[in-house]
Coordinates of all heavy atoms in Angstrom, one line a residue:
A28 N 133.3 -21.5 62.9 CA 133.5 -21.9 64.3 C 132.2 -21.9 65.1 O 131.9 -22.8 65.8 CB 134.5 -20.9 65.0
R29 N 131.4 -20.8 64.9 CA 130.1 -20.8 65.6 C 129.2 -21.9 65.1 O 128.4 -22.5 65.9 CB 129.4 -19.4 65.2 CG 130.0 -18.2 65.9 CD 129.3 -17.0 65.5 NE 129.9 -15.8 66.2 CZ 129.5 -14.5 65.9 NH1 128.5 -14.3 65.1 NH2 130.1 -13.5 66.5
A30 N 129.3 -22.3 63.9 CA 128.4 -23.4 63.3 C 128.7 -24.7 64.0 O 127.9 -25.5 64.2 CB 128.6 -23.5 61.8
T31 N 130.0 -24.9 64.5 CA 130.3 -26.1 65.1 C 130.1 -26.1 66.6 O 130.1 -27.2 67.2 CB 131.8 -26.4 64.8 OG1 132.6 -25.4 65.4 CG2 132.1 -26.6 63.3
D32 N 129.8 -25.0 67.2 CA 129.5 -24.9 68.6 C 128.3 -25.7 69.0 O 128.3 -26.5 69.9 CB 129.4 -23.4 69.1 CG 130.7 -22.7 69.1 OD1 131.8 -23.4 69.0 OD2 130.7 -21.5 69.1
S33 N 127.2 -25.4 68.3 CA 126.0 -26.2 68.5 C 125.2 -26.1 67.2 O 125.3 -25.1 66.4 CB 125.2 -25.5 69.6 OG 124.8 -24.2 69.3
T34 N 124.3 -27.0 67.0 CA 123.5 -27.1 65.7 C 122.3 -26.2 65.9 O 121.8 -25.9 67.0 CB 123.1 -28.5 65.4 OG1 122.2 -29.0 66.4 CG2 124.3 -29.4 65.2
Y35 N 121.7 -25.8 64.8 CA 120.4 -25.1 64.9 C 119.3 -26.1 65.5 O 118.4 -25.6 66.1 CB 120.0 -24.6 63.5 CG 120.7 -23.3 63.1 CD1 121.6 -23.3 62.1 CD2 120.4 -22.1 63.8 CE1 122.3 -22.1 61.8 CE2 121.1 -21.0 63.5 CZ 122.0 -21.0 62.4 OH 122.6 -19.8 62.1
A36 N 119.5 -27.4 65.3 CA 118.5 -28.3 65.9 C 118.6 -28.2 67.4 O 117.5 -28.2 68.1 CB 118.9 -29.7 65.5
E37 N 119.8 -28.1 68.0 CA 119.9 -28.0 69.4 C 119.3 -26.6 69.9 O 118.6 -26.6 70.9 CB 121.4 -28.1 69.8 CG 122.0 -29.4 69.7 CD 123.5 -29.4 70.0 OE1 123.9 -28.8 71.0 OE2 124.2 -30.0 69.2
K38 N 119.6 -25.6 69.1 CA 119.0 -24.3 69.5 C 117.5 -24.3 69.5 O 116.9 -23.6 70.3 CB 119.5 -23.2 68.5 CG 121.0 -22.9 68.6 CD 121.4 -21.9 67.5 CE 123.0 -21.7 67.6 NZ 123.4 -20.7 66.5
L39 N 116.9 -25.1 68.6 CA 115.5 -25.2 68.6 C 114.9 -26.2 69.6 O 113.7 -26.4 69.6 CB 115.1 -25.7 67.2 CG 115.3 -24.7 66.0 CD1 115.1 -25.3 64.7 CD2 114.3 -23.5 66.2
G40 N 115.8 -26.8 70.4 CA 115.3 -27.6 71.5 C 115.3 -29.1 71.2 O 114.8 -29.9 72.1
F41 N 115.8 -29.6 70.1 CA 116.0 -31.0 69.8 C 117.2 -31.5 70.6 O 118.1 -30.8 71.0 CB 116.2 -31.2 68.4 CG 114.9 -31.0 67.5 CD1 114.9 -29.8 66.8 CD2 113.9 -31.9 67.5 CE1 113.7 -29.5 66.0 CE2 112.8 -31.6 66.7 CZ 112.7 -30.4 66.0
P42 N 117.2 -32.8 70.9 CA 118.3 -33.4 71.7 C 119.7 -33.2 71.0 O 119.8 -33.2 69.8 CB 117.9 -34.9 71.8 CG 116.5 -35.0 71.6 CD 116.2 -33.8 70.6
K43 N 120.7 -33.0 71.9 CA 122.0 -32.8 71.3 C 122.4 -34.1 70.6 O 122.2 -35.2 71.0 CB 123.0 -32.6 72.5 CG 124.4 -32.4 72.1 CD 125.3 -32.1 73.3 CE 126.8 -31.9 72.9 NZ 126.9 -30.7 72.0
G44 N 123.0 -33.9 69.4 CA 123.4 -35.0 68.6 C 122.4 -35.7 67.8 O 122.6 -36.6 67.0
A45 N 121.1 -35.2 67.8 CA 120.0 -35.8 67.1 C 120.1 -35.5 65.6 O 120.5 -34.4 65.2 CB 118.7 -35.4 67.6
K46 N 119.7 -36.5 64.8 CA 119.5 -36.2 63.4 C 118.0 -35.9 63.2 O 117.1 -36.7 63.5 CB 119.8 -37.5 62.5 CG 121.3 -37.8 62.5 CD 121.5 -39.0 61.5 CE 122.9 -39.4 61.4 NZ 123.1 -40.6 60.5
V47 N 117.7 -34.6 62.8 CA 116.4 -34.1 62.7 C 116.2 -33.9 61.2 O 117.0 -33.1 60.6 CB 116.2 -32.9 63.5 CG1 114.7 -32.4 63.3 CG2 116.5 -33.1 64.9
V48 N 115.2 -34.5 60.6 CA 115.1 -34.5 59.1 C 113.7 -34.1 58.6 O 112.7 -34.5 59.1 CB 115.4 -35.9 58.6 CG1 115.2 -36.0 57.1 CG2 116.8 -36.4 59.0
I49 N 113.7 -33.2 57.6 CA 112.5 -32.9 56.8 C 112.7 -33.7 55.5 O 113.6 -33.5 54.7 CB 112.5 -31.4 56.5 CG1 112.4 -30.5 57.7 CG2 111.3 -31.1 55.5 CD1 112.5 -29.0 57.5
L50 N 111.7 -34.6 55.3 CA 111.7 -35.4 54.0 C 110.7 -34.6 53.1 O 109.5 -34.6 53.3 CB 111.2 -36.8 54.3 CG 112.2 -37.7 55.1 CD1 111.5 -39.0 55.4 CD2 113.5 -37.9 54.3
H51 N 111.3 -33.9 52.1 CA 110.6 -32.9 51.4 C 110.4 -33.2 50.0 O 111.3 -33.6 49.2 CB 111.4 -31.6 51.5 CG 110.8 -30.4 50.8 ND1 109.8 -29.7 51.3 CD2 111.0 -30.0 49.5 CE1 109.4 -28.8 50.4 NE2 110.1 -28.9 49.3
V52 N 109.2 -33.0 49.5 CA 108.8 -33.3 48.1 C 108.6 -32.0 47.3 O 107.8 -31.2 47.6 CB 107.4 -34.1 48.1 CG1 107.0 -34.4 46.7 CG2 107.5 -35.4 48.9
D53 N 109.5 -31.9 46.4 CA 109.4 -30.7 45.5 C 108.4 -30.9 44.4 O 107.9 -32.0 44.1 CB 110.8 -30.5 44.7 CG 111.8 -29.7 45.5 OD1 111.5 -29.2 46.6 OD2 112.9 -29.5 45.0
D54 N 108.0 -29.8 43.8 CA 107.3 -29.7 42.5 C 105.8 -30.0 42.6 O 105.2 -30.3 41.6 CB 107.9 -30.6 41.5 CG 109.3 -30.2 41.0 OD1 109.8 -29.1 41.5 OD2 109.9 -30.9 40.2
A55 N 105.2 -29.9 43.8 CA 103.7 -30.0 43.8 C 103.1 -28.9 42.9 O 103.7 -27.8 42.8 CB 103.2 -29.9 45.2
G56 N 102.0 -29.2 42.3 CA 101.4 -28.2 41.4 C 101.9 -28.2 39.9 O 101.3 -27.6 39.1
M57 N 103.0 -28.9 39.7 CA 103.5 -28.9 38.3 C 102.7 -29.7 37.4 O 102.5 -29.3 36.2 CB 104.9 -29.5 38.3 CG 105.6 -29.4 37.0 SD 107.2 -30.2 36.9 CE 106.7 -31.9 36.5
S58 N 102.1 -30.8 37.8 CA 101.3 -31.7 37.0 C 100.3 -32.5 37.8 O 100.5 -32.5 39.1 CB 102.2 -32.6 36.2 OG 102.8 -33.6 37.0
Y59 N 99.4 -33.1 37.2 CA 98.5 -34.0 37.9 C 99.3 -35.1 38.6 O 99.1 -35.4 39.8 CB 97.5 -34.7 37.0 CG 96.7 -35.8 37.6 CD1 95.6 -35.5 38.4 CD2 97.1 -37.1 37.4 CE1 94.9 -36.6 39.0 CE2 96.3 -38.2 37.9 CZ 95.3 -37.9 38.7 OH 94.5 -38.9 39.3
E60 N 100.3 -35.7 37.9 CA 101.1 -36.7 38.5 C 101.9 -36.3 39.7 O 102.1 -37.0 40.7 CB 102.0 -37.3 37.4 CG 101.3 -38.0 36.3 CD 101.0 -37.1 35.1 OE1 101.0 -35.8 35.3 OE2 100.7 -37.6 34.0
S61 N 102.4 -35.0 39.6 CA 103.2 -34.5 40.7 C 102.3 -34.3 41.9 O 102.8 -34.6 43.1 CB 103.8 -33.1 40.3 OG 104.7 -33.2 39.2
N62 N 101.1 -33.8 41.7 CA 100.2 -33.7 42.8 C 99.9 -35.0 43.5 O 99.9 -35.2 44.7 CB 98.9 -33.1 42.4 CG 99.0 -31.6 42.1 OD1 100.1 -31.0 42.2 ND2 97.9 -31.0 41.6
E63 N 99.5 -36.0 42.7 CA 99.2 -37.4 43.2 C 100.4 -38.0 44.0 O 100.2 -38.6 45.0 CB 98.7 -38.3 42.1 CG 97.4 -37.9 41.5 CD 96.3 -38.0 42.5 OE1 96.0 -39.1 43.0 OE2 95.7 -36.9 42.9
G64 N 101.6 -37.8 43.4 CA 102.8 -38.3 44.1 C 103.0 -37.7 45.4 O 103.3 -38.4 46.4
A65 N 102.9 -36.4 45.4 CA 103.1 -35.6 46.7 C 102.1 -36.1 47.7 O 102.4 -36.3 48.9 CB 103.1 -34.1 46.5
I66 N 100.8 -36.2 47.3 CA 99.8 -36.6 48.3 C 100.0 -38.0 48.8 O 99.9 -38.2 50.1 CB 98.4 -36.5 47.6 CG1 98.0 -35.0 47.3 CG2 97.3 -37.2 48.4 CD1 96.9 -34.8 46.3

Side-chain angles (χ1 to χ4, degrees):
R29 288 180 182 174
T31 59
D32 288 343
S33 63
T34 65
Y35 280 110
E37 291 174 46
K38 294 177 183 179
L39 289 168
F41 291 103
K43 183 177 178 62
K46 291 183 179 181
V47 183
V48 177
I49 299 173
L50 291 174
H51 178 83
V52 181
D53 271 359
D54 295 358
M57 187 187 83
S58 66
Y59 170 80
E60 295 92 340
S61 300
N62 288 358
E63 290 299 294
I66 290 168

